[in-house]
Amino acid sequence: GRTGTRVPSLCLGTMTFGLQADEPTSLAILDRAFEAGLDFLDTADVYCLSDEDLGHNERLMATALSTWNGPRSEVLLATKGGMTRPDGRWDRNGRPDHLRRACDRSLKALGVDRIDLYQFHAPDPQVPFTESVGMLAELQGAGKIRWVGLSNVSVDQINAARRHVEVVTVQNRLNPWFREALEQGVVEHCERLGIGFLAYSPVGGGRLNKKLPAHPAVK
């Protein structure tokens, strides 16, 4: 985006930490990422097995950073709020009071006073979108968030959010099989507005990445 802050073109997404990778493996991956100069990490409060373990991955970030010898200020942490994990499901909750509590939990789990990039994880069809975004603006005004991002949004939702808060990033799915971020104009819109775009699941996730070498674009 237009923050003046430069990040690597690759961001380490940590969704599988705690779901597929155990804690020692996850911490080893984080250590190797830091050694390689990959200082942009993306996580979420719901990257865990259930609501009983909310913040699992965020706590891993804090543990890894506590043992790293490099300067903490050079690592940009991005997390998200707006979903829940009841009984392992992925449910949406964009209520302002939920987002406030989620942000406070993330601050504690990450061990920081302010979150670098806080992203609204997904619009909740049960809650007016602008009410959810309005809470992010309030959290930013309170100094708990440095930058605001959106995830899983459309062009119209980006425009609606920008009437309430500066949107620095948009994180939508984009890979060789799922190209809706391109086809529906989200990437082009972000480029036009100077909003950073984060492509999640860039190699297709666990089910599709094994097929990547055979994809025509990769060939």
Side-chain angles (χ1 to χ4, degrees):
R2 298 177 178 177
T3 65
T5 296
R6 298 187 63 83
V7 295
S9 57
L10 293 179
C11 172
L12 180 64
T14 64
M15 180 178 175
T16 59
F17 293 3
L19 298 176
Q20 297 171 358
D22 60 24
E23 185 166 330
T25 302
S26 301
L27 291 173
I29 292 170
L30 287 166
D31 287 342
R32 181 61 60 88
F34 293 148
E35 291 172 6
L38 210 163
D39 51 10
F40 184 18
L41 308 177
D42 179 71
T43 185
D45 59 346
V46 290
Y47 289 172
C48 58
L49 294 175
S50 70
D51 276 345
E52 283 66 48
D53 198 24
L54 287 174
H56 172 88
N57 275 25
E58 294 170 323
R59 291 187 290 273
L60 280 176
M61 304 298 110
T63 299
L65 285 167
S66 70
T67 59
W68 184 52
N69 294 325
R72 164 66 185 85
S73 60
E74 292 185 4
V75 178
L76 193 150
L77 286 176
T79 192
K80 311 178 197 72
M83 295 191 74
T84 60
R85 295 281 275 139
D87 299 320
R89 299 193 310 273
W90 299 89
D91 289 351
R92 302 186 182 198
N93 188 339
R95 296 197 310 273
D97 60 334
H98 170 81
L99 288 169
R100 182 188 293 108
R101 291 194 302 271
C103 181
D104 287 341
R105 281 197 308 265
S106 291
L107 285 164
K108 183 177 180 180
L110 291 167
V112 298
D113 296 323
R114 183 178 66 171
I115 296 168
D116 296 325
L117 175 62
Y118 194 70
Q119 304 157 94
F120 182 33
H121 206 144
D124 182 347
Q126 305 300 319
V127 180
F129 181 69
T130 53
E131 288 187 12
S132 303
V133 172
M135 175 49 65
L136 297 190
E138 183 178 321
L139 292 168
Q140 187 179 49
K144 296 181 179 183
I145 298 172
R146 184 179 184 187
W147 297 311
V148 170
L150 306 173
S151 187
N152 297 295
V153 289
S154 66
V155 167
D156 287 344
Q157 287 167 331
I158 294 169
N159 291 338
R162 293 180 70 240
R163 290 191 281 270
H164 299 269
V165 69
E166 181 182 3
V167 177
V168 169
T169 60
V170 166
Q171 181 174 171
N172 281 16
R173 179 175 62 177
L174 178 57
N175 60 52
W177 294 275
F178 295 98
R179 298 168 57 83
E180 61 271 15
L182 292 171
E183 295 161 354
Q184 296 172 9
V186 171
V187 173
E188 182 183 5
H189 196 58
C190 288
E191 186 174 20
R192 186 185 307 117
L193 296 175
I195 295 172
F197 183 81
L198 285 74
Y200 76 73
S201 190
V203 294
R207 291 188 298 274
L208 291 174
N209 60 22
K210 296 179 179 64
K211 300 180 180 180
L212 191 63
H215 193 282
V218 178
K219 283 186 174 182

